[in-house]
Amino acid sequence: MVVQNLQLPEVLDRLYIRASDMDVSLERKRLSVHACGTAAFTTYYNSFALKKWKKYTVIGKISLALTAKGCFEVTLLGFEVVSGLKGKLNGGFIEKTLVKKTFSLQEPTECELAYPDCGCDLLAFTVRAFENSELYGGAYRTAIDEEALPEINLALAICTYKREHYISTNIAMLNETIFSNSRSILNNHIRVYIADNGQTLKKEEIESETIKLFPNINSGGSGGFSRCMIEALADKDRYNLTHIVLMDDDIFFTYDALVRTYTFLRLLKKEHSNLVINGAMLPMDKPHIQYASGEIIKPTEIVQHKHGYDLTDVRSIVLNEIEEPINYCAWWYCCFPLEDTLNDNLALPLFFQYDDTDWGLRNKEREKVVVSGICIRHETLAAKRTDWKDYYSIRNRLIIITIHRASTFRGCGKIYFQARIFIKIAYRIVSSRFNNAELMMRAVEDYCRGIEWLGSVDSAALLRDVQQHAARKVKKSLFTAITLTARLLSLVWSFGLKFKKTAAYYQENYHRYITEEFWRGYLGLKDK
């Protein structure tokens, strides 16, 4: 059984192949290795995360199969982390040569080499040519009875708002590689659900037997993803859907990322059947500099694991395999079982930001893992930063810390909240960012309105109001600064008086706002 295919890019790229232009050339995804040249597959996409696959799946021994011709030597390599702080690039590793073998092939032929049993974190290989040689493809394989494996069927859930270019590009890729390709391993195992919050996509251009488009009110990511989950649950028995993959609309993902997800799920050990797979995030403009490989939210910050790792560097690739605690999975790419209980476990209506964080903390008993090569390309959050988003950031962060105080954010009491609010907003006032300060105070005031207000507010109208407020021109003067400071002091005081009652009400009642019944009413959908 193939557990991971070799990926040959259109052009030479060190995320796929480590070689110089003098050593190799690429044409139509066929790799030519010139005489005396070497192509190293000690790369992010073409190494194999042995330790992680052994931990979570039922794979046995791994072998490498290559289809090639010419005279060349294949060297099987293993990499093992040996020292250093978790996730830090000052860690060390050992590179081991496991097997070497020379092949002389007059015609394109498949050759296979077995990796010996080892405790390596990562497997890879190199090809050194003695004469001009060609490589047509390859794969890491394991010996296993595929008929004994469970059937896996994925529902891809995409929430979008006026991102037509991304949607059309990704749908074209899916049509070409899966839906019109009967040889694809994913053919008949993928369905796509798109919640169109902007209602700008045309059904006749998008929909097919396997792709469904649902015009949706502008209810943000929480409403769009909840709509997709509701629609997928309705189709669950008809199409035997087993898992759902939530994906942002402003990303590019690859066919191979879906194949790896599908294969990993088929091979999961029973004790890991509740696993959540999180895709790593690579920036759109610099995809070799990793933005995040799993995340964890703390009371004062969100930590992006392996942030800034250069994935063209072998050390980064090896140390990227060190597992670190993850307490939520970002919904730019998040895969989990499509269970019937999901209809009471949908998103909280936060509209924008922290809906995925809340869901992850609610489902903290589920294991969470990032698998190398399962990733997306996304604009960095810094590139998307605008002042109006601070309203949602502070309001929604207050909500999730309140709801999950007992389980995740212990010690975050009234004094903590008051101090955080004062420091953040006071900094904006001192910096003469008066609009921003006003929006953040409004966020605190709206938080104090409680969960019932959150579940009834017109989210699209609120967004327009917040954006218009952020665009206003405010005269920068000492009088304005003094006025806002007085308002801030009054807000912090009133917040402290209301906090205990408000927090208790959030904790006792938020479950009413994550159900299918709530979302059907909010989105104006017909009853089941």
Side-chain angles (χ1 to χ4, degrees):
M1 177 181 176
V2 171
V3 291
Q4 183 175 305
N5 282 303
L6 187 66
Q7 292 190 65
L8 296 177
E10 297 287 349
V11 296
L12 198 59
D13 185 335
R14 288 170 66 83
L15 286 170
Y16 299 85
I17 304 167
R18 196 181 308 280
S20 71
D21 291 330
M22 300 292 291
D23 289 340
V24 303
S25 58
L26 276 161
E27 183 180 357
R28 295 180 182 177
K29 292 191 175 184
R30 181 183 63 191
L31 179 69
S32 297
V33 186
H34 307 151
C36 300
T38 299
F41 294 87
T42 53
T43 59
Y44 176 70
Y45 284 116
N46 283 321
S47 56
F48 181 74
L50 177 67
K51 188 174 183 179
K52 199 169 286 182
W53 281 76
K54 275 190 172 181
K55 176 181 177 180
Y56 293 104
T57 74
V58 295
I59 62 165
K61 289 185 176 181
I62 297 295
S63 63
L64 174 71
L66 299 175
T67 301
K69 76 172 183 178
C71 186
F72 55 90
E73 177 186 69
V74 178
T75 302
L76 303 186
L77 301 171
F79 296 86
E80 185 176 345
V81 178
V82 293
S83 65
L85 298 174
K86 284 188 176 181
K88 303 298 182 182
L89 283 175
N90 61 352
F93 67 94
I94 293 175
E95 177 181 336
K96 300 178 180 179
T97 298
L98 304 175
V99 174
K100 280 189 177 184
K101 187 172 181 180
T102 299
F103 295 89
S104 184
L105 308 171
Q106 300 300 314
E107 299 293 334
T109 306
E110 182 179 273
C111 48
E112 190 166 4
L113 294 87
Y115 284 89
D117 288 332
C118 63
C120 294
D121 294 88
L122 205 68
L123 301 179
F125 67 98
T126 64
V127 175
R128 181 164 68 101
F130 300 116
E131 62 181 39
N132 290 342
S133 302
E134 292 184 345
L135 180 62
Y136 303 94
Y140 294 94
R141 293 176 175 171
T142 191
I144 200 163
D145 180 10
E146 288 194 63
E147 292 186 0
L149 298 178
E151 181 181 358
I152 298 295
N153 295 301
L154 303 177
L156 304 189
I158 302 172
C159 167
T160 184
Y161 181 81
K162 298 182 179 180
R163 296 290 177 85
E164 294 86 351
H165 170 66
Y166 289 100
I167 296 298
S168 60
T169 300
N170 288 325
I171 291 300
M173 182 274 290
L174 291 172
N175 281 327
E176 179 183 354
T177 59
I178 301 174
F179 302 133
S180 62
N181 179 12
S182 60
R183 298 176 60 187
S184 169
I185 192 175
L186 298 178
N187 190 271
N188 295 322
H189 295 289
I190 295 274
R191 295 189 64 80
V192 181
Y193 298 83
I194 303 172
D196 181 15
N197 282 2
Q199 300 189 29
T200 55
L201 298 172
K202 298 178 181 178
K203 282 199 172 223
E204 61 271 19
E205 295 177 359
I206 298 291
E207 278 205 329
S208 66
E209 185 181 342
T210 49
I211 301 172
K212 297 301 177 186
L213 177 68
F214 304 98
N216 209 46
I217 66 170
N218 187 13
S219 49
S222 55
F225 283 123
S226 292
R227 177 70 185 274
C228 289
M229 287 187 253
I230 290 170
E231 300 295 348
L233 280 168
D235 282 349
K236 178 176 178 290
D237 294 335
R238 180 181 180 185
Y239 299 109
N240 193 24
L241 298 174
T242 59
H243 292 77
I244 188 167
V245 185
L246 307 187
M247 295 192 291
D248 274 347
D249 61 341
D250 55 345
I251 66 169
F252 290 131
F253 61 94
T254 65
Y255 169 74
D256 194 73
L258 294 176
V259 170
R260 292 192 192 191
T261 301
Y262 170 79
T263 305
F264 199 83
L265 292 172
R266 288 193 75 199
L267 292 167
L268 277 181
K269 295 175 180 176
K270 288 184 179 179
E271 60 266 33
H272 299 299
S273 60
N274 212 25
L275 189 75
V276 181
I277 299 176
N278 191 199
M281 176 179 162
L282 310 184
M284 200 75 74
D285 56 340
K286 295 181 179 178
H288 63 290
I289 303 298
Q290 184 169 255
Y291 183 84
S293 181
E295 296 181 287
I296 187 167
I297 185 168
K298 298 181 178 181
T300 58
E301 62 179 340
I302 292 179
V303 178
Q304 284 91 25
H305 295 317
K306 320 300 190 342
H307 178 75
Y309 275 30
D310 182 351
L311 299 180
T312 63
D313 174 65
V314 174
R315 180 182 296 276
S316 294
I317 295 166
V318 176
L319 299 184
N320 207 40
E321 291 308 308
I322 298 173
E323 286 200 80
E324 299 194 61
I326 300 172
N327 63 6
Y328 83 97
C329 296
W331 283 357
W332 54 58
Y333 190 104
C334 178
C335 175
F336 52 88
L338 186 65
E339 300 163 333
D340 292 333
T341 54
L342 188 60
N343 60 15
D344 287 323
N345 191 24
L346 303 174
L348 193 66
L350 298 175
F351 185 77
F352 175 82
Q353 291 190 334
Y354 295 109
D355 45 358
D356 50 3
T357 308
D358 166 68
W359 194 90
L361 297 180
R362 260 192 279 137
N363 293 271
K364 63 179 183 177
E365 76 284 352
R366 296 174 183 264
E367 290 182 291
K368 301 169 180 70
V369 66
V370 182
V371 182
S372 290
I374 299 178
C375 61
I376 54 91
R377 296 187 180 186
H378 197 300
E379 288 184 22
T380 60
L381 302 186
K384 302 169 70 177
R385 184 81 258 162
T386 55
D387 279 353
W388 65 264
K389 295 179 181 179
D390 283 341
Y391 165 84
Y392 293 98
S393 179
I394 194 167
R395 186 198 73 179
N396 294 351
R397 192 177 180 90
L398 286 171
I399 291 171
I400 67 155
I401 293 178
T402 297
I403 290 173
H404 301 287
R405 281 174 68 209
S407 60
T408 306
F409 303 105
R410 295 182 183 88
C412 293
K414 179 176 71 174
I415 301 301
Y416 166 82
F417 280 107
Q418 286 176 304
R420 291 284 293 174
I421 291 166
F422 181 83
I423 292 169
K424 280 180 173 290
I425 301 176
Y427 174 75
R428 267 68 173 183
I429 295 173
V430 171
S431 304
S432 297
R433 294 170 60 187
F434 298 145
N435 262 357
N436 200 222
E438 285 186 306
L439 279 175
M440 294 179 78
M441 283 189 273
R442 179 175 176 177
V444 178
E445 291 164 352
D446 286 349
Y447 160 83
C448 291
R449 291 171 182 252
I451 189 74
E452 287 185 346
W453 172 84
L454 184 72
S456 61
V457 68
D458 183 334
S459 54
L462 177 61
L463 173 63
R464 289 192 297 271
D465 195 25
V466 168
Q467 288 177 329
Q468 288 170 4
H469 190 101
R472 284 191 320 145
K473 291 184 178 181
V474 179
K475 185 178 180 180
K476 296 182 179 181
S477 67
L478 180 60
F479 176 77
T480 305
I482 293 172
T483 303
L484 289 176
T485 302
R487 180 182 170 187
L488 172 60
L489 292 172
S490 175
L491 176 63
V492 172
W493 174 257
S494 63
F495 175 85
L497 294 177
K498 298 176 182 177
F499 175 73
K500 186 175 180 179
K501 182 179 180 180
T502 303
Y505 202 77
Y506 271 107
Q507 292 163 359
E508 293 167 6
N509 293 282
Y510 83 92
H511 295 92
R512 293 160 46 196
Y513 299 91
I514 59 175
T515 66
E516 182 174 341
E517 180 182 4
F518 163 76
W519 277 111
R520 282 189 174 275
Y522 190 90
L523 298 173
L525 305 180
K526 295 180 181 179
D527 294 335
K528 288 184 180 180

